[in-house]
Amino acid sequence: ETGVTQTPRHLVMGMTNKKSLKCEQHLGHNAMYWYKQSAKKPLELMFVYSLEERVENNSVPSRFSPECPNSSHLFLHLHTLQPEDSALYLCASSQESPGAGNTIYFGEGSWLTVV
Amino acid sequence: QKEVEQNSGPLSVPEGAIASLNCTYSDRGSQSFFWYRQYSGKSPELIMFIYSNGDKEDGRFTAQLNKASQYVSLLIRDSQPSDSATYLCAVNGEGGSYIPTFGRGTSLIVHP
């Protein structure tokens, strides 16, 4: 149990479907993240929210749409995905603080397969 | 462009040996340094963090930081097969840049 909960853990969707990934953190943190991890590739930062405002968007295609309704919840809305979007999607949270600190804690991930 | 470099490996060590994992970073103003362990098919889990130059020990793990040379390392003593995983180095920037940059990870294999 990491304090960051992701659902669903596994998702198979067609290219024309619309689905959402959900993340909830129980750590009282003020920043939340979406990362993508494909096979044999490093972690790719997708989005960062700080105090519910998006502060980072790493040139992610518009078929991925994040939503952060409050500091504890983060969604990733998916539509018209491509097979190459199949990957492990990791949610993370941290307590933003200046200087040293800001340890990131990951959820268990959502395995996405696009068929 | 901040960069964090790790040798992808695999690093293969016998059971009971010391495994040494290294990481270099480009941003001289970096302040916080983290090591994560990721088992195959699982998410990364935090092992240690270090902020100050020198060594920090936690059980079988020792993190070493040298800011002048811009490297951070992780030593695993008495390596066990259960330590076989990918180890990710992460570095935070300076001046409120709290978003960490991750390395590609080093694959460690501990063989009996």
Side-chain angles (χ1 to χ4, degrees):
Chain A
E1 190 64 38
T2 66
V4 181
T5 305
Q6 290 187 241
T7 56
R9 296 292 314 281
H10 298 270
L11 177 63
V12 179
M13 62 185 289
M15 289 190 284
T16 58
N17 290 159
K18 290 184 180 181
K19 297 286 184 182
S20 297
L21 305 180
K22 177 183 176 182
C23 177
E24 182 176 0
Q25 60 97 357
H26 314 275
L27 301 170
H29 291 163
N30 59 11
M32 297 188 76
Y33 309 73
W34 280 116
Y35 285 87
K36 175 185 177 182
Q37 190 174 41
S38 304
K40 308 288 187 183
K41 289 186 178 180
L43 281 171
E44 298 176 47
L45 179 64
M46 300 177 73
F47 303 105
V48 182
Y49 277 82
S50 174
L51 298 172
E52 301 149 44
E53 286 193 26
R54 191 189 310 179
V55 296
E56 186 91 7
N57 178 346
N58 266 2
S59 303
V60 179
S62 59
R63 56 185 183 270
F64 295 93
S65 175
E67 178 189 0
C68 187
N70 55 61
S71 60
S72 299
H73 294 86
L74 184 65
F75 295 88
L76 187 62
H77 303 300
L78 316 169
H79 63 98
T80 59
L81 295 191
Q82 303 299 310
E84 60 265 29
D85 296 323
S86 299
L88 176 65
Y89 288 85
L90 291 162
C91 175
S93 71
S94 69
Q95 182 62 29
E96 178 191 354
S97 57
N102 196 54
T103 305
I104 281 191
Y105 295 91
F106 288 91
E108 294 184 328
S110 294
W111 284 98
L112 173 67
T113 303
V114 182
V115 297
Chain B
Q1 178 81 12
K2 302 173 190 174
E3 293 185 351
V4 177
E5 300 289 340
Q6 294 182 258
N7 188 323
S8 61
L11 172 66
S12 182
V13 300
E15 184 174 358
I18 296 175
S20 178
L21 304 161
N22 300 312
C23 172
T24 59
Y25 59 93
S26 62
D27 183 359
R28 187 169 288 277
S30 299
Q31 298 187 356
S32 308
F33 307 86
F34 306 86
W35 283 101
Y36 289 82
R37 176 176 62 199
Q38 185 174 24
Y39 292 114
S40 180
K42 302 293 185 182
S43 64
E45 57 178 325
L46 180 70
I47 298 177
M48 293 186 70
F49 56 84
I50 186 168
Y51 306 144
S52 305
N53 272 331
D55 295 358
K56 180 181 179 182
E57 188 174 316
D58 184 0
R60 295 187 296 113
F61 298 97
T62 299
Q64 299 176 317
L65 175 60
N66 184 322
K67 289 187 177 181
S69 300
Q70 294 177 242
Y71 82 78
V72 56
S73 61
L74 180 69
L75 301 179
I76 306 175
R77 290 183 300 281
D78 187 24
S79 296
Q80 301 297 309
S82 58
D83 295 325
S84 298
T86 296
Y87 290 80
L88 301 170
C89 173
V91 176
N92 278 11
E94 63 177 341
S97 175
Y98 60 91
I99 301 171
T101 300
F102 281 84
R104 299 177 66 91
T106 298
S107 174
L108 172 67
I109 299 172
V110 181
H111 53 86

